[in-house]
Amino acid sequence: MAKQTVAEQTVDILVRAGVRRLYGVVGDSLNPVVDAIRRNAAIDWIQVRHEEAAAFAAGAEAQLTGKLAACAGSCGPGNLHLINGLYDAHRSMAPVLALASHIPSSEIGTGFFQETHPDQLFRECSHYCELISNPQQMPRVLQTAVQNAIGQGGVSVITLPGDIAAQQAPERSIEHALVTTRPTVRPGDAEIEALARMVDEAGKVTLFCGSGTAGAHDEVMRFAERVKAPVGHALRGKEWIQYDNPYDVGMSGLLGYGAAYEATHECDLLILLGTDFPYNAFLPNDVKIAQVDVRPQHLGRRSKLDLAVWGDVRETLRCLTPKVQVKSSRKFLDKMLKKHADALEGVVKAYTRKVEKHTPIHPEYVASILDEEAAADAIFTVDTGMNNVWAARYLTPNGRRRVIGSFTHGSMANALPQAIGAQFLDRDRQVVAMSGDGGFAMLMGDFLTLVQYDLPVKIVLFNNSSLGMVELEMMVGGLPAYGTTNHNPDFAAIARAAGAHGVRVEKPKHVRGALRDAFKHKGPALVDIVTDPNALSIPPKISAEMVGGFALSAGKIVLDGGVGRMLQMARSNLRNVPRP
């Protein structure tokens, strides 16, 4: 075997682990690694304009594939820029390996130029974070990092000084077969039996589903049918569970709609399936609760549990469903389905009259048209803030579409860089970034990455010239809005100047045509849509007792307006309700 440098060995191990791109910004301490990539045909160096974008792109790739993705930053300020995207990836349980290159090893601890301590800085946003200070640590440390990221679902960080990267790797190093997939976890028989007894004893059962139901749609539907349970979901569970769901009662939480809240509070037994839903104020405290999760550390950290079940949702339901008795009464289910349909019927009227003529344009109208015009297998990346509302209420899942965002970490500026990672996976698949003007402007430099690589990402910019959610928080708190107004340029003109397709839309009648033209364009495109910053109102059901602080403020922005095709779905589900 030919001699290798530590950098070359690092790149080879990443390739064996399935990494095909390393996102980052070059720098002197990182040069040995970048040069090793240049000479390795199995992996590409993706040059972004900001390292934060590199981490977001890698995190998006990992979320979409479930496989390891990677990013890198040079010493000091370079790798520090990774931290926000790594926090997001870690909290999204996305397997990401971050390479934080370091100052010369002999200078560590002397206050050297650009010196930081990455092996300490990244510990809170990683499962594994170690410094390679001697070539003899390779490849064991890197292999351990890979397996931590994949096995635990999250981030691993390797700190590698540039001088160590350039040294010869050990000649007889031990390279073992890497673990690149996660196993399924089946609960013990005792837990399955206990959960079956709870289900049989409960007259009314409700299911509340999160991202842990990915791959378990059929199992959830079979179980819901057997026990006649309404099925609600959190935002991260929407794409996995809402489609083809005759038991759907919508979403609970700050962006909630429909009857999910009522269904979780009026049942005898609430079963939380694969969700780490953070807003415990929206969970009941007077019904029995069972939780199923593949991560035992998630069990019971949001609500008091009557039963904790450690297991994969799909495997758990495969074991559980045959053991529970078939419930014959649909009374509770039908009641919740009717409440759900009535709730959507009641709110949809506010934005169904003359919206085609309203200026500034209703953002709800834009989101509904986007939902209709986007591809059936589109990948949507969604900025934090009001775009979360539009995505939650208007994007219609179908089992093929994907929707990702900074739904747990809640970072601004995530949509554009996540779209970069999504598009590199498949240049032929439609990728749509739902961006706000505040988020887009924050990392706007990486629009140039789209142009440089001719990535056909379509950015739909909801431009209300404000930090809308923050402004609402201030007003709800009795404060005058301050520091929330953005003086924006013509973003479409900037896109055209950069060499991309760009169009500005100020009238609702032009929205559909602008989106169609952008989707037909073969390269990157930006549709800058001027939207109404005042198209929000306080919902009928929210109180200070339910949520406090930010939760109260954010909860009050839930619109009284339309909910897209979800109303049609609710109406369709009502057809299954037996008539007297």
Side-chain angles (χ1 to χ4, degrees):
M1 182 176 179
K3 290 185 177 180
Q4 286 185 309
T5 64
V6 170
E8 291 168 333
Q9 188 179 51
T10 297
V11 171
D12 281 352
I13 291 172
L14 291 179
V15 169
R16 286 203 298 120
V19 174
R20 294 297 174 261
R21 283 161 290 277
L22 190 64
Y23 301 89
V25 177
V26 296
D28 55 356
S29 58
L30 197 55
N31 288 346
V33 174
V34 175
D35 188 63
I37 292 173
R38 178 183 65 83
R39 292 179 281 107
N40 191 319
I43 188 171
D44 292 323
W45 173 258
I46 304 301
Q47 176 187 347
V48 297
R49 303 306 173 101
H50 194 293
E51 289 90 350
E52 183 177 347
F56 271 122
E61 185 177 317
Q63 286 187 66
L64 291 168
T65 66
K67 298 178 181 179
L68 187 69
C71 57
S74 59
C75 63
N79 61 58
L80 274 177
H81 285 156
L82 295 169
I83 195 163
N84 193 48
L86 293 183
Y87 259 99
D88 183 78
H90 194 57
R91 300 189 71 186
S92 300
M93 298 176 284
V96 171
L97 189 288
L99 185 61
S101 66
H102 205 5
I103 64 172
S105 58
S106 61
E107 303 299 329
I108 295 174
T110 68
F112 192 72
F113 176 65
Q114 294 188 322
E115 181 175 3
T116 58
H117 292 87
D119 52 313
Q120 300 174 35
L121 287 165
F122 294 102
R123 288 198 182 279
E124 190 174 317
C125 63
S126 64
H127 291 302
Y128 184 84
C129 183
E130 293 295 342
L131 167 68
I132 295 178
S133 58
N134 188 305
Q136 297 298 322
Q137 292 173 265
M138 285 288 286
R140 292 172 296 161
V141 169
L142 181 56
Q143 290 174 156
T144 302
V146 167
Q147 293 180 179
N148 268 272
I150 295 170
Q152 297 195 66
V155 171
S156 285
V157 181
I158 292 298
T159 300
L160 181 61
D163 61 313
I164 300 296
Q167 291 182 27
Q168 293 293 311
E171 290 190 24
R172 290 184 293 275
S173 59
I174 300 173
E175 293 191 18
H176 58 71
L178 292 169
V179 173
T180 57
T181 58
R182 299 181 66 186
T184 57
V185 178
R186 180 195 183 281
D189 291 338
E191 285 72 27
I192 293 292
E193 295 293 341
L195 184 53
R197 285 195 298 273
M198 290 180 70
V199 173
D200 288 344
E201 291 169 1
K204 300 176 291 186
V205 179
T206 293
L207 309 181
F208 188 69
C209 302
S211 61
T213 57
H217 181 276
D218 292 347
E219 286 76 10
V220 174
M221 295 304 107
R222 280 194 288 268
F223 183 73
E225 167 58 28
R226 193 170 181 89
V227 300
K228 308 301 182 289
V231 178
H233 59 268
L235 178 54
R236 292 188 67 198
K238 174 185 172 75
E239 63 177 328
W240 305 115
I241 215 68
Q242 190 187 37
Y243 69 95
D244 295 340
N245 181 356
Y247 318 102
D248 177 55
V249 292
M251 191 169 81
S252 189
L254 300 177
L255 310 181
Y257 57 83
Y261 181 86
E262 289 84 350
T264 58
H265 283 72
E266 296 180 24
C267 60
D268 300 318
L269 173 64
L270 173 61
I271 304 179
L272 305 174
L273 294 175
T275 179
D276 194 36
F277 181 71
Y279 304 110
N280 55 12
F282 286 89
L283 294 173
N285 53 23
D286 56 354
V287 304
K288 288 187 176 181
I289 301 178
Q291 183 178 0
V292 179
D293 206 291
V294 74
R295 288 192 168 197
Q297 64 269 33
H298 287 183
L299 295 169
R301 73 177 184 176
R302 307 301 185 196
S303 61
K304 182 181 178 181
L305 299 182
D306 295 277
L307 180 65
V309 180
W310 180 10
D312 174 85
V313 171
R314 183 170 63 176
E315 291 303 313
T316 300
L317 292 182
R318 284 177 174 175
C319 297
L320 176 67
T321 301
K323 293 182 178 294
V324 300
Q325 299 173 7
V326 176
K327 295 187 186 298
S328 57
S329 174
R330 287 180 54 104
K331 185 176 180 180
F332 177 61
L333 171 60
D334 292 343
K335 177 184 176 182
M336 291 300 114
L337 289 176
K338 188 175 188 309
K339 278 193 173 186
H340 180 60
D342 289 346
L344 300 191
E345 292 277 7
V347 300
V348 78
K349 296 175 184 177
Y351 292 106
T352 56
R353 293 191 301 269
K354 300 181 180 179
V355 292
E356 296 86 353
K357 297 180 180 180
H358 178 90
T359 56
I361 304 167
H362 276 313
E364 301 90 341
Y365 176 71
V366 176
S368 66
I369 299 301
L370 173 60
D371 182 56
E372 294 172 7
E373 295 294 332
D377 65 344
I379 297 171
F380 296 91
T381 63
V382 183
D383 260 345
T384 297
M386 293 315 306
N387 279 279
N388 274 197
V389 180
W390 316 141
R393 290 171 170 260
Y394 289 91
L395 297 184
T396 305
N398 58 12
R400 299 169 62 197
R401 286 178 166 180
R402 295 297 313 273
V403 182
I404 63 173
S406 188
F407 297 143
T408 303
H409 186 49
S411 172
M412 284 182 66
N414 61 285
L416 168 59
Q418 286 181 329
I420 291 172
Q423 195 71 82
F424 266 115
L425 281 173
D426 186 350
R427 286 177 173 268
D428 295 325
R429 188 172 181 180
Q430 188 182 87
V431 176
V432 181
M434 292 179 64
S435 296
D437 56 291
F440 179 73
M442 185 176 283
L443 284 178
M444 187 167 60
D446 269 287
F447 185 79
L448 301 177
T449 301
L450 300 183
V451 177
Q452 179 167 331
Y453 289 97
D454 196 29
L455 293 174
V457 169
K458 314 307 177 190
I459 297 174
V460 180
L461 186 60
F462 289 73
N463 182 1
N464 64 0
S465 296
S466 72
L467 302 177
M469 182 169 283
V470 179
E471 189 167 298
L472 263 292
E473 292 167 22
M474 289 179 173
M475 290 190 293
V476 167
L479 302 173
Y482 183 75
T484 59
T485 300
N486 295 326
H487 181 68
N488 289 329
D490 183 336
F491 288 111
I494 291 176
R496 293 193 298 271
H501 174 85
V503 61
R504 185 175 174 89
V505 180
E506 297 180 351
K507 295 183 179 180
K509 66 181 180 179
H510 297 148
V511 170
R512 192 181 298 272
L515 291 176
R516 287 181 176 177
D517 289 344
F519 291 154
K520 290 176 184 177
H521 184 71
K522 293 184 179 180
L526 184 146
V527 183
D528 180 7
I529 305 178
V530 180
T531 59
D532 186 354
N534 300 312
L536 300 170
S537 59
I538 296 175
K541 292 185 180 180
I542 201 127
S543 66
E545 290 72 27
M546 285 176 60
V547 285
F550 172 78
L552 173 61
S553 304
K556 285 182 179 290
I557 59 106
V558 182
L559 66 163
D560 275 342
V563 285
R565 281 182 279 173
M566 285 179 285
L567 177 57
Q568 297 174 17
M569 183 184 298
R571 288 170 175 166
S572 177
N573 287 344
L574 273 181
R575 298 188 189 112
N576 299 321
V577 177
R579 296 291 188 262

